[in-house]
Amino acid sequence: CMKPFEAFNFCPSCGKSQPPPEIPCLICAACEFTYFFNPTIAAAGLILNEDGNMLFIERAKEPGKGKLAFVGGFMDAGEIAEEALEREIHEEVGLKVQNIQYVGNFPNSYHYKNITYPVLDFFFTATCTHTQAQLDLSEVANLHWLNPNQISGKELAFESMRRAFDKWKSGRS
């Protein structure tokens, strides 16, 4: 997989042919158009119900298809992380959460269509009393309310999720 900046062989402003930039910033030699290849931002939730079980989804698509993950997704421009989390939870599983608390953020890589995107994932805990979900089957193959003590971080789809889960578990002891 290539990095996003390696895919830019032409200036998106003037169309002039470009060698792929060696740094994660495109500066066109012809028109000086500049584009910074910053990480994409995402938010995900470690969601607990009143029984202390945690919500895990099975991913319906790559990357990580069939693996466990937390509900979450990419933030929209102008959106704060908590709003993105609530929106993604509503879109993917049709649930509402309360008591959103920041856990931490971790870098991640998202491999999609032969490009590896740098991502910064923000993680939060939240509670949910209503557990009747409506799945967006294009994103979520299934969901499970599981005892988090019986889950290993190695079962999660992304390294950033493993790190957030481990941080959350270590903070509970």
Side-chain angles (χ1 to χ4, degrees):
C1 285
M2 69 177 118
K3 296 175 182 165
F5 61 88
E6 295 171 328
F8 279 71
N9 297 314
F10 298 91
C11 173
S13 179
C14 72
K16 184 86 171 166
S17 178
Q18 302 278 326
E22 294 182 24
I23 57 171
C25 173
L26 170 75
I27 302 174
C28 178
C31 72
E32 296 185 5
F33 173 81
T34 303
Y35 186 83
F36 293 92
F37 297 97
N38 297 322
T40 298
I41 309 298
L46 290 74
I47 303 166
L48 295 161
N49 67 16
E50 59 264 358
D51 297 329
N53 290 325
M54 186 174 282
L55 177 63
F56 294 91
I57 62 167
E58 286 179 42
R59 291 185 51 82
K61 62 183 182 179
E62 296 294 349
K65 182 177 180 177
K67 292 187 177 181
L68 293 180
F70 302 124
V71 178
F74 296 113
M75 292 172 52
D76 294 334
E79 194 173 40
I80 65 170
E82 293 88 345
E83 289 171 349
L85 175 66
E86 289 178 297
R87 177 184 51 74
E88 287 288 341
I89 292 168
H90 179 72
E91 289 174 1
E92 291 186 3
V93 295
L95 297 173
K96 291 188 179 203
V97 295
Q98 304 82 36
N99 306 315
I100 297 173
Q101 298 290 318
Y102 179 71
V103 172
N105 64 80
F106 298 96
N108 195 22
S109 294
Y110 192 85
H111 309 287
Y112 184 72
K113 294 190 177 185
N114 292 328
I115 296 180
T116 300
Y117 295 92
V119 181
L120 182 60
D121 292 332
F122 284 78
F123 293 93
F124 300 87
T125 57
T127 57
C128 182
T129 55
H130 177 72
T131 58
Q132 294 297 323
Q134 283 191 304
L135 305 184
D136 174 353
L137 296 175
S138 69
E139 299 279 336
V140 179
N142 206 345
L143 68 77
H144 309 279
W145 289 97
L146 303 172
N147 180 335
N149 296 321
Q150 296 175 340
I151 299 295
S152 165
K154 294 176 184 174
E155 298 176 69
L156 297 172
F158 301 105
E159 176 64 27
S160 61
M161 289 184 178
R162 293 188 277 277
R163 292 177 67 188
F165 189 57
D166 290 344
K167 180 178 181 178
W168 174 80
K169 285 172 86 172
S170 70
R172 295 174 49 224
S173 30

